[in-house]
Amino acid sequence: MNIAIIGTQWGDEGKGKIVDLLTQKKKVKAVVRYQGGPNAGHTVVVRGEKHAFHLLPSGILYPDKTCVIGNGVIIDPAVLAEEIKILEDSAGKKHARILISEKCHLIMPWHKIRDVLDCGKIGTTGRGIGPCYEDAVGRRGIRLIDAANKKRLGLRIKEELTWNRCLIKTWKGKFNLSSEKILSDYWQALEGIKKNPLIQIGDVTEWLWETERKGGEIIFEGAQATLLDINHGTYPFVTSSNSTVGGLLTGTGFRPKKLEVIGVVKAYTTRVGSGPFPTELINKTGERIREIGHEYGTTTGRPRRCGWLDIPSLIYAKKINNLDSLAMTKLDVLTGIGALKIKVNPNFSVDTVELSRQRPVYETLSGWNENIAKIRRFEQLPQAAKKYIKRVEQLTGLPIKLIGVGSDRRAIIRKNV
């Protein structure tokens, strides 16, 4: 069975840990990223060592697997090259093979400049993600296939540099980069990637087709989350790609014959950047959750806004992605807080004006004080923790099959349903 791992909130739900766990299955042959760029951050803790990935799928630590970067992902070659270097400095060449779609668009220097000039209103990472997707849709993008040889890449850079000089000059921005300097830097990074014996650039669709035909299972790793989807999120406070399950199809050119869709949810809610957040806790409880949960962005280090669990948003994510089950992470962070609240308003709106005016209706549940980090069976959890899980299941109509109770990759309860 192929599996899609989808974020159900505003991102940072701990999808990487769930992907890492499920990738351990022998039948799993590949882990696929299908959208987003280096604005995404996935953290996996192995033997106390923290690994932060941005472009590389979370299954990269398994030498017997293949990590696929689909055409829906946009790539900054320098960032990818550096991420691979850091990985190989710590793990050597003992990592998964990497297949990158030749259709991936490249983040160029002008994208970062445009992002910085225009990102203030929604709080983006400033890494050129939005402008790169804009150019892709506007048919002005530069793809990996354009970097088949240095001459072709140089021509494409000159063409797009001319257009961007005019655009940024209109915004009164400074733009002093030369086409020769850009070509030199990008070619050096791309050459390093191409020469790595564990990396291949090619046809992702064909490879996935063959992998499924031979009986291999595939895990699809979504970046960001449902409420950040460009079409279905809390627009305009969203990312620039389809981070819901539909992005899997367009971001790979492949439809799995069988697919289980697992939504990942924190035991509470967080979001980074601007936008309405009805359950946000601007008090000591919110600060406590942030500190205990280490709620700081993997990519930017920005402190995340923290609040109570929002059930209506989970039901919305369930419908948008047709979720089969949930995986709940960071249940341990709620230990010792006291009484817990969950938002149970009858509906959820992605109309940001309406959402910002919404008064949360809460249901209060008992908390627990016992340390649950070493518990591996659902029956061993404190009674209050079990009630919390069961109540979320009742309200969403979804079984919670996996429960994260600590930062280590082994700190997961597999719940039989």
Side-chain angles (χ1 to χ4, degrees):
M1 175 68 75
N2 302 305
I3 300 173
I5 304 298
I6 307 290
T8 60
Q9 299 165 303
W10 281 289
D12 311 308
E13 297 93 350
K15 298 179 291 294
K17 181 174 184 175
I18 303 302
V19 171
D20 176 73
L21 174 74
L22 297 176
T23 304
Q24 296 173 29
K25 290 175 60 181
K26 267 192 173 182
K27 275 193 159 186
V28 172
K29 300 302 180 186
V31 180
V32 183
R33 269 282 307 278
Y34 56 82
Q35 47 77 221
N39 56 338
H42 303 268
T43 303
V44 178
V45 179
V46 182
R47 291 185 293 276
E49 184 178 356
K50 184 182 288 187
H51 297 263
F53 304 122
H54 303 278
L55 285 165
L56 295 174
S58 298
I60 194 67
L61 298 175
Y62 295 91
D64 60 329
K65 315 293 182 183
T66 297
C67 278
V68 179
I69 298 177
N71 58 272
V73 179
I74 53 174
I75 292 174
D76 185 326
V79 171
L80 180 58
E82 179 63 17
E83 193 168 334
I84 292 168
K85 181 181 183 301
I86 292 171
L87 173 68
E88 295 190 342
D89 283 347
S90 63
K93 295 287 184 178
K94 295 179 180 179
H95 62 77
R97 296 176 295 278
I98 302 169
L99 172 62
I100 308 172
S101 172
E102 61 192 0
K103 300 173 187 173
C104 286
H105 282 258
L106 301 181
I107 298 172
M108 305 303 295
W110 50 80
H111 293 139
K112 298 176 187 178
I113 294 173
R114 282 160 50 190
D115 204 0
V116 170
L117 290 173
D118 196 41
C119 76
K121 63 180 180 180
I122 61 172
T124 73
T125 59
R127 299 195 172 211
I129 310 298
C132 184
Y133 275 116
E134 287 175 18
D135 283 0
V137 174
R139 299 178 295 279
R140 294 183 299 271
I142 297 178
R143 301 189 296 173
L144 267 177
I145 204 168
D146 294 316
N149 60 70
K150 194 172 183 179
K151 181 179 180 181
R152 180 175 174 178
L153 179 60
L155 289 173
R156 290 294 295 117
I157 288 173
K158 285 182 179 179
E159 290 171 353
E160 300 310 323
L161 184 58
T162 300
W163 187 87
N164 276 275
R165 277 198 180 116
C166 295
L167 177 64
I168 293 170
K169 187 177 180 181
T170 302
W171 291 350
K172 298 181 180 179
K174 294 180 180 180
F175 195 61
N176 300 318
L177 294 174
S178 69
S179 58
E180 291 80 9
K181 177 72 165 59
I182 296 170
L183 176 60
S184 174
D185 291 346
Y186 272 64
W187 191 252
Q188 181 178 356
L190 288 167
E191 280 286 274
I193 292 168
K194 292 176 182 179
K195 288 178 180 178
N196 191 311
L198 290 175
I199 301 176
Q200 179 185 353
I201 297 172
D203 190 334
V204 160
T205 304
E206 179 67 22
W207 190 90
L208 292 173
W209 181 278
E210 283 298 311
T211 299
E212 184 181 62
R213 187 184 67 81
K214 293 175 181 177
E217 294 182 358
I218 304 165
I219 293 178
F220 297 88
E221 178 182 27
Q224 289 88 37
T226 300
L227 300 183
L228 292 175
D229 185 278
I230 184 67
N231 293 116
H232 302 291
T234 49
Y235 190 90
F237 304 100
V238 293
T239 192
S240 303
S241 59
N242 290 115
S243 45
T244 44
V245 73
L248 184 163
L249 306 180
T250 55
T252 61
F254 173 73
R255 181 187 73 80
K257 289 184 177 179
K258 293 182 179 180
L259 183 68
E260 179 183 1
V261 185
I262 301 175
V264 185
V265 56
K266 276 179 183 166
Y268 47 94
T269 307
T270 65
R271 81 171 297 172
V272 175
S274 306
F277 186 0
T279 69
E280 184 172 11
L281 292 166
I282 309 175
N283 56 23
K284 289 184 178 179
T285 301
E287 291 172 6
R288 178 190 171 101
I289 290 173
R290 182 181 302 112
E291 293 308 314
I292 294 176
H294 306 291
E295 296 296 352
Y296 296 89
T298 303
T299 300
T300 63
R302 289 182 294 178
R304 295 174 186 144
R305 300 156 65 192
C306 301
W308 298 122
L309 186 62
D310 190 322
I311 295 296
S313 69
L314 289 184
I315 295 172
Y316 176 78
K318 168 187 173 180
K319 293 174 181 177
I320 291 292
N321 299 291
N322 201 7
L323 299 177
D324 295 301
S325 63
L326 291 174
M328 180 178 282
T329 60
K330 295 197 170 185
L331 183 67
D332 55 301
V333 175
L334 297 182
T335 299
I337 284 182
L340 306 174
K341 294 182 179 181
I342 51 177
K343 177 170 166 261
V344 293
N345 293 55
N347 55 49
F348 178 81
S349 174
V350 290
D351 181 331
T352 52
V353 174
E354 183 178 330
L355 191 62
S356 64
R357 294 173 179 169
Q358 189 180 80
R359 287 188 175 184
V361 176
Y362 288 116
E363 183 175 308
T364 302
L365 299 169
S366 299
W368 59 91
N369 295 311
E370 298 92 330
N371 186 334
I372 64 174
K374 294 184 178 180
I375 291 175
R376 297 295 177 266
R377 294 182 60 187
F378 180 74
E379 296 75 19
Q380 296 173 342
L381 283 172
Q383 193 65 25
K386 288 190 284 188
K387 285 185 177 180
Y388 189 84
I389 294 291
K390 289 177 180 178
R391 188 58 180 145
V392 175
E393 290 179 325
Q394 290 170 352
L395 291 168
T396 61
L398 289 169
I400 299 176
K401 292 185 176 181
L402 300 169
I403 305 166
V405 292
S407 60
D408 190 80
R409 73 194 305 198
R410 295 166 296 183
I412 292 220
I413 295 172
R414 294 175 182 264
K415 180 172 168 288
N416 295 322
V417 293

